Amino acid sequence: MSSPARSEPANVAVFTLIGFAEFVYRHAKKIGALLSRPVLWPTLLLFIPKINLIPFRNETAGIRFDDFILLTVITLLLCGWIVGLDFHIDPIPAMGFAVVAVFCTSNLINAGHSNFLYSLRLLEYLVFFWAGRALIRDHFDFGFLVKLLIGVNCGFILLQYAGIIGGFTADGYESGVERPFGLSANHPAEMGAFLNLAFAALVFGTKTAARFWFWCVLTGLCIFITGSRSAIFAHCFLTLVYLYKHSINKTSFALRTAAILGLLVAVFTAIPNSISGRSTDLLSRQNLDTFGEVYDAIPVDQHFTGFVDSGDPGEAPEGVDPSWYMRGFKWAQVVKTMFNERWTVWILGLGPGALTPALDGGWLRLISETGVVGTVAFLILMRRISSLSTSCLMAVFALAVNMLMVDSHNAYKVMAFLFFLAGTQLKRQAQPTI
């Protein structure tokens, strides 16, 4: 039972869940139609939680139900291409295969301390590209799907915040969660980035002007509840871009911007919340000083056998942001390792997976693990996706922002949705009347 202080959020959560249940019921035929075509099965995987059936030691991701579905779809796609002698590959998946090849080459060079599974993940993400193409080809309502995706996860976030339900982690269901993370993801940061991309796809890719503020406030509120600072920053930027594009003049845009910023400042200062609580010491001078001290103290590890046994957020000194303290130890060790490596290591990096499951800094991880070649290949892939449409451009930007502090390029649901969005937008270009 929730506490009295949370009775109001509990009521909101219950009514929200009832509303979305009614929404799903009214569109049951559309949802059922997704099951009739195997190539569309990955679409349903965007909704279900990530639960390991067979875990791997020292890895957060194991073998999941999703892997069997994606393997089946890949097999069917390959059989269809062979039977139809249709081996044409679109530019996006072609570049995706090139990125996988570069990443795997880095794994081969660093076979002793890297993990091929980190490179092969991208092949699973690419399956969602063809699912997105099929969705538009079969005239499914993409806007409805994105709204349902946002609605379901926001409903779960509100229920988790109210203390009514728990959440699904990689190990299964947990009755209590420290920070809400919805249904599709199993970490608040991943859910924040996931909602960023879904929001970009909705407001920049569909006709939602009449209900923009509903989806903006709902998504922003739920990202706010997750406590993901990178995601809330990306959401604010996406909102400002949308308002700028739809403003009649700059004066109107400036007034709206001032109103939004004023509201955000009021919320952050007047209402107790996880983001403001976690950000008290974010801009303190001690953060930079601590990073310098940590960098000097950490020993050089030529082959990076693992992170030093320090950096527990609970041990952060007074005036130092706990999140920054944790990242400081990791980042300092990785930076120091890279600067003490031979220049040849910078070409293809230390190998994907070399820096353990979580570095909490996607761009630093990308350049360290895949080198200049891998980073450039990844940027080219992102450039091709962003050129498809405004919604893809904004989604890639949101991904880039989240990668500053989170390994979002390794997040399954985030990258799966990005490729799914790319598939829908490419098909829309080929069929502009849809």
Side-chain angles (χ1 to χ4, degrees):
M1 181 178 295
S2 60
S3 62
R6 288 200 170 184
S7 60
E8 185 175 346
N11 292 334
V12 173
V14 169
F15 284 115
T16 302
L17 184 63
I18 293 174
F20 287 127
E22 181 184 359
F23 181 77
V24 173
Y25 175 77
R26 286 189 287 108
H27 296 85
K29 289 185 178 180
K30 292 183 179 180
I31 299 173
L34 291 174
L35 297 172
S36 64
R37 295 209 46 211
V39 73
L40 294 175
W41 290 351
T43 305
L44 298 177
L45 298 181
L46 294 172
F47 291 88
I48 66 175
K50 304 186 303 180
I51 301 176
N52 293 336
L53 300 179
I54 303 176
F56 292 137
R57 188 180 64 177
N58 299 326
E59 296 290 343
T60 56
I63 296 178
R64 302 170 177 144
F65 170 76
D66 306 48
D67 297 311
F68 296 102
I69 295 296
L70 294 174
L71 180 61
T72 301
V73 175
I74 290 174
T75 303
L76 293 174
L77 286 173
L78 286 174
C79 291
W81 293 335
I82 293 173
V83 172
L85 298 178
D86 181 11
F87 300 104
H88 170 74
I89 301 179
D90 293 308
I92 301 298
M95 191 63 215
F97 290 139
V99 172
V100 173
V102 172
F103 286 8
C104 287
T105 301
S106 179
N107 284 127
L108 286 172
I109 296 174
N110 301 280
H113 55 271
S114 65
N115 190 332
F116 276 96
L117 293 178
Y118 283 79
S119 299
L120 297 178
R121 284 178 178 178
L122 190 58
L123 294 178
E124 287 194 332
Y125 305 154
L126 284 172
V127 179
F128 289 85
F129 173 84
W130 285 289
R133 286 196 58 181
L135 187 86
I136 301 302
R137 184 179 60 236
D138 291 354
H139 304 284
F140 280 94
D141 189 344
F142 176 65
F144 156 77
L145 183 67
V146 178
K147 291 176 184 177
L148 183 62
L149 197 58
I150 294 175
V152 168
N153 281 287
C154 286
F156 268 83
I157 288 172
L158 291 172
L159 290 170
Q160 289 168 347
Y161 175 70
I164 297 176
I165 63 173
F168 291 94
T169 67
D171 298 323
Y173 181 77
E174 293 187 0
S175 57
V177 295
E178 182 178 356
R179 290 165 54 194
F181 49 78
L183 177 65
S184 299
N186 53 21
H187 190 276
E190 182 178 2
M191 176 49 63
F194 185 73
L195 288 176
N196 280 157
L197 270 65
F199 177 71
L202 179 63
V203 302
F204 291 101
T206 59
K207 298 179 180 179
T208 61
R211 304 201 67 191
F212 166 76
W213 285 112
F214 170 79
W215 293 106
C216 178
V217 172
L218 176 64
T219 308
L221 173 64
C222 290
I223 293 176
F224 183 76
I225 291 173
T226 66
S228 176
R229 293 175 289 191
S230 299
I232 198 65
F233 175 78
H235 183 75
C236 291
F237 184 86
L238 293 173
T239 301
L240 291 177
V241 171
Y242 182 89
L243 293 178
Y244 178 80
K245 286 174 62 67
H246 292 81
S247 293
I248 299 175
N249 53 54
K250 292 185 178 181
T251 302
S252 174
F253 173 71
L255 291 175
R256 290 186 180 185
T257 301
I260 292 174
L261 292 178
L263 178 63
L264 289 176
V265 171
V267 169
F268 274 94
T269 56
I271 301 177
N273 59 86
S274 59
I275 289 184
S276 61
R278 296 173 61 229
S279 305
T280 304
D281 300 314
L282 184 61
L283 301 178
S284 68
R285 174 72 181 180
Q286 291 92 321
N287 283 334
L288 295 178
D289 294 339
T290 301
F291 181 82
E293 295 172 1
V294 168
Y295 185 87
D296 293 335
I298 286 180
V300 177
D301 186 354
Q302 289 289 351
H303 301 290
F304 192 84
T305 55
F307 289 113
V308 295
D309 189 20
S310 299
D312 186 345
E315 300 175 355
E318 184 178 356
V320 176
D321 180 69
S323 179
W324 174 256
Y325 184 71
M326 173 192 68
R327 287 177 171 84
F329 273 89
K330 292 182 178 181
W331 293 2
Q333 185 173 354
V334 171
V335 170
K336 197 166 187 176
T337 298
M338 290 300 292
F339 277 121
N340 283 276
E341 291 284 356
R342 303 184 309 276
W343 67 270
T344 53
V345 174
W346 285 88
I347 299 176
L348 287 170
L350 300 169
L355 301 179
T356 69
L359 176 62
D360 294 311
W363 291 112
L364 178 60
R365 184 184 189 113
L366 189 66
I367 186 65
S368 301
E369 289 190 338
T370 67
V372 174
V373 177
T375 302
V376 170
F378 182 82
L379 289 174
I380 293 174
L381 174 60
M382 293 299 103
R383 176 67 182 86
R384 290 192 175 182
I385 292 176
S386 64
S387 65
L388 293 175
S389 67
T390 303
S391 58
C392 284
L393 174 62
M394 292 296 100
V396 169
F397 174 82
L399 174 69
V401 171
N402 281 275
M403 284 179 63
L404 293 174
M405 295 294 174
V406 186
D407 304 338
S408 297
H409 66 299
N410 282 340
Y412 162 42
K413 292 301 179 73
V414 175
M415 294 301 293
F417 183 82
L418 179 62
F419 281 101
F420 181 76
L421 173 62
T424 64
Q425 300 306 296
L426 184 66
K427 197 61 183 178
R428 285 177 186 272
Q429 288 183 350
Q431 298 178 346
T433 57
I434 294 179

